Amino acid sequence: MDGLHGADHQMAGPVTEWTRLFVSHCQYNVSTVPGSSHLNIYTLGDGLLHVGGPHQFTGFCGIHTGPIEARVRVLPGPPAGVDVGWDAISEATLWSPSGRLSVVGLMGDTAAALTDVAVPRGLIRVRVHARDRLHETVRTDDDPPERHELHIWAVSEETPWRTVLADPGGREWEQIPAKAAEWAMLSLVPRPSGRPALLGPPPPDPYMDDTGLSRVTVIRRRPAPVEVSVGVLPAGDLAVRLDRVDGEALIWSWATAGEPIFPQPLTTLPDDEPSTVRLTSGPDGFELRHEEVLGRHAFALGVIWDHLLDTAGSYPWVETLRGQAAEATALVEKTRRLEAERLAAEWGGAPPSDTVRGLPSQAPSLARIDRPLLDRIDALPATRQREVACWAARRAMRVAGLEQIGWIADALAAAEADRPLPRSFTEQSGTAAFNQLLSDPEMPHATITLHLASEASGTRRVAGVLQQAVAFPALIALANDNPLAAAIDAVYNAAIAHGDDRDRFLTDAHIALR
């Protein structure tokens, strides 16, 4: 079969047919979790693949824009050798929670045979083979099609990407392990999404379901022994503790930082369980085994160890986290300042007590026309608040010529005697009583100019308003069981019912409160 010479493939796994896949900018993506965040390309990799994170890597083609042929072969175990007949071969480890893998063109072009291919759940090793990678500017009709073949098998250990067979004409890519380590740590301590609580949590992603999957081991090797320091790795609001067990073992455990840096610190740990880091040295060099880690964390921990082993004491993610924390702190301060300005405009100064702010009442409106009066009403005992409410309601009925109408006079008297008001006042916010007023032939008709508070100009005037309709809510306010709300609403409605004499009424109200 095509491309199998030189390797024992134990042909028990499925193989897709050669399938045309449209690629762009010489790239395609191999992914086990569509849409997952990933490391930028040109950070870690070679001329055939660049790793992008636990779920994704980018494959590189010769053709810039056009079709290639690709297929996927799932193996029951690692190949015994390296296939011949290919120009370049590279491999990397991916985390496949759901057991599905897709090969997709850079711009989203898909092929059914390469979408959601069944692969083992958990860690998988993906070996990419490529040949005839020619740019369209040099390709002729006699050239064979460009072909890419992926071999996939299950593994229990996360190991770095590697070049198996270098393309003789390929370029050397600069590796940026510090950038990869920065991305990796940030992926382990992500900030909250900012999704509004009203929307609830997003539905679970079926591609991310790792239920029942075992923990795995991360392995890193070096030609010579490397000293691994114990202590604390800073990670913003969190930290990693590395505690020595003996000469060859450390315990890795997550904890909250002693001094969090974000205004709303993270408290959820990436992993509640400690894990073991084993260090061994021998004739073949130095080996680090980070055991019993979550599969979804294996890639990130691997590239973090790559950086720590080669650059001890360097934590490239720290400055990024500090910058994010500074931005978050500035945003919190800006929000606080804007909220303070909004509250000052709403309340005519510093916000009143939480009790007043929580009332469904005319408190903001009263605050904007006489803030000291609102504070004085708030400070009164409940019995005095009820008395003030009755006083203001009677003043409102008097100025509107309603005080002597029989059923209104009876309601006032009942409130002043601490008796229940009629149901027409207590039900549906007094709608029935208000309608009775408007249909009462004894009701006088007088118009006034309202003097209302306005944030823009201080006072907004509304002329030609029926005074009796403005005054009557002061009486309806007495039906409120909350004496503070009753007093605030009665005083405010009585004040605006006085029209041009509003300020005189407010002066009288201060006198009445003494």
Side-chain angles (χ1 to χ4, degrees):
M1 294 181 67
D2 189 8
L4 294 185
H5 303 293
D8 176 8
H9 283 273
Q10 312 169 62
M11 295 299 297
V15 183
T16 65
E17 297 295 330
W18 285 112
T19 303
R20 286 168 62 88
L21 177 70
F22 195 89
V23 300
S24 304
H25 297 277
C26 303
Q27 298 172 41
Y28 60 86
N29 290 321
V30 177
S31 172
T32 60
V33 178
S36 61
S37 62
H38 55 82
L39 180 67
N40 290 334
I41 61 171
Y42 313 128
T43 304
L44 297 176
D46 58 16
L48 181 54
L49 70 79
H50 280 196
V51 294
H55 310 113
Q56 186 263 352
F57 65 77
T58 299
F60 287 98
C61 311
I63 189 169
H64 182 278
T65 305
I68 64 170
E69 292 187 358
R71 71 177 179 184
V72 175
R73 184 186 302 277
V74 180
L75 307 179
V82 178
D83 287 358
V84 297
W86 298 97
D87 300 331
I89 305 174
S90 300
E91 62 184 36
T93 304
L94 295 181
W95 175 244
S96 175
S98 69
R100 287 175 284 184
L101 177 142
S102 297
V103 184
V104 181
L106 179 66
M107 306 307 290
D109 298 279
T110 61
L114 301 174
T115 301
D116 282 350
V117 177
V119 298
R121 290 187 70 212
L123 283 182
I124 56 174
R125 193 69 171 175
V126 183
R127 180 176 289 182
V128 183
H129 307 71
R131 64 169 167 244
D132 300 312
R133 293 191 298 167
L134 299 175
H135 194 273
E136 51 262 53
T137 56
V138 298
R139 176 175 289 279
T140 69
D141 293 340
D142 295 330
D143 290 315
E146 178 173 345
R147 283 185 163 179
H148 290 244
E149 182 171 280
L150 279 59
H151 294 177
I152 299 168
W153 63 95
V155 294
S156 61
E157 299 172 342
E158 200 282 336
T159 54
W161 72 273
R162 74 183 183 109
T163 301
V164 179
L165 174 65
D167 189 334
R171 58 172 287 187
E172 290 290 331
W173 287 90
E174 178 188 3
Q175 307 301 300
I176 316 177
K179 192 67 177 177
E182 175 191 343
W183 178 91
M185 183 60 82
L186 295 180
S187 76
L188 294 176
V189 292
R191 301 306 304 166
S193 67
R195 179 184 175 91
L198 182 65
L199 297 178
D205 184 348
Y207 285 92
M208 295 290 282
D209 182 12
D210 57 3
T211 305
L213 292 175
S214 300
R215 288 175 174 255
V216 301
T217 298
V218 174
I219 295 180
R220 289 297 185 266
R221 296 183 175 91
R222 293 294 184 271
V226 178
E227 181 67 27
V228 177
S229 301
V230 298
V232 176
L233 301 183
D237 295 332
L238 305 181
V240 174
R241 294 193 58 84
L242 277 173
D243 299 307
R244 187 169 295 282
V245 177
D246 54 38
E248 293 186 348
L250 307 172
I251 295 297
W252 170 294
S253 58
W254 288 95
T256 53
E259 296 182 2
I261 62 175
F262 283 84
Q264 296 179 325
L266 288 179
T267 56
T268 302
L269 304 181
D271 190 355
D272 293 326
E273 296 185 22
S275 50
T276 301
V277 180
R278 301 192 187 279
L279 313 171
T280 58
S281 297
D284 295 331
F286 171 86
E287 180 180 85
L288 179 147
R289 297 178 61 88
H290 193 163
E291 301 172 346
E292 292 296 310
V293 304
L294 293 170
R296 61 179 177 270
H297 293 169
F299 172 84
L301 294 173
V303 295
I304 288 172
W305 278 120
D306 279 332
H307 176 74
L308 294 177
L309 292 176
D310 295 336
T311 317
S314 169
Y315 311 121
W317 52 84
V318 168
E319 288 305 315
T320 301
L321 285 168
R322 287 175 179 166
Q324 292 177 352
E327 291 178 2
T329 300
L331 179 60
V332 168
E333 176 57 28
K334 179 180 179 180
T335 302
R336 185 206 61 77
R337 176 175 51 80
L338 293 176
E339 177 66 4
E341 293 173 356
R342 184 190 68 79
L343 290 173
E346 179 181 3
W347 295 102
S353 68
D354 291 341
T355 301
V356 171
R357 292 173 61 185
L359 284 177
S361 69
Q362 294 285 1
S365 299
L366 179 58
R368 288 196 290 269
I369 63 173
D370 195 328
R371 174 58 190 275
L373 182 59
L374 173 65
D375 293 337
R376 293 186 65 186
I377 295 173
D378 182 26
L380 293 174
T383 53
R384 282 289 290 132
Q385 289 170 346
R386 182 63 66 182
E387 291 173 0
V388 168
C390 292
W391 172 84
R394 183 168 288 281
R395 284 288 301 267
M397 296 306 99
R398 182 176 302 160
V399 75
L402 303 175
E403 187 179 19
Q404 301 305 318
I405 297 177
W407 62 279
I408 294 177
D410 291 343
L412 266 174
E416 290 169 341
D418 202 21
R419 298 194 307 270
L421 270 67
R423 292 176 59 184
S424 60
F425 285 86
T426 59
E427 295 180 354
Q428 297 181 334
S429 302
T431 300
F434 193 81
N435 290 335
Q436 182 179 352
L437 169 71
L438 297 181
S439 61
D440 193 328
E442 294 186 47
M443 184 191 78
H445 289 73
T447 59
I448 57 172
T449 297
L450 297 183
H451 294 252
L452 305 175
S454 172
E455 295 182 15
S457 59
T459 300
R460 179 169 59 92
R461 292 172 175 79
V462 182
V465 180
L466 182 64
Q467 185 179 35
Q468 289 68 33
V470 176
F472 197 70
L475 179 57
I476 294 176
L478 302 185
N480 197 320
D481 293 333
N482 186 313
L484 176 58
I488 291 172
D489 287 356
V491 168
Y492 174 75
N493 287 300
I496 62 173
H498 278 73
D500 293 336
D501 290 332
R502 184 198 73 179
D503 292 344
R504 180 174 61 80
F505 168 82
L506 294 172
T507 299
D508 292 346
H510 279 282
I511 295 172
L513 263 58
R514 291 176 186 169

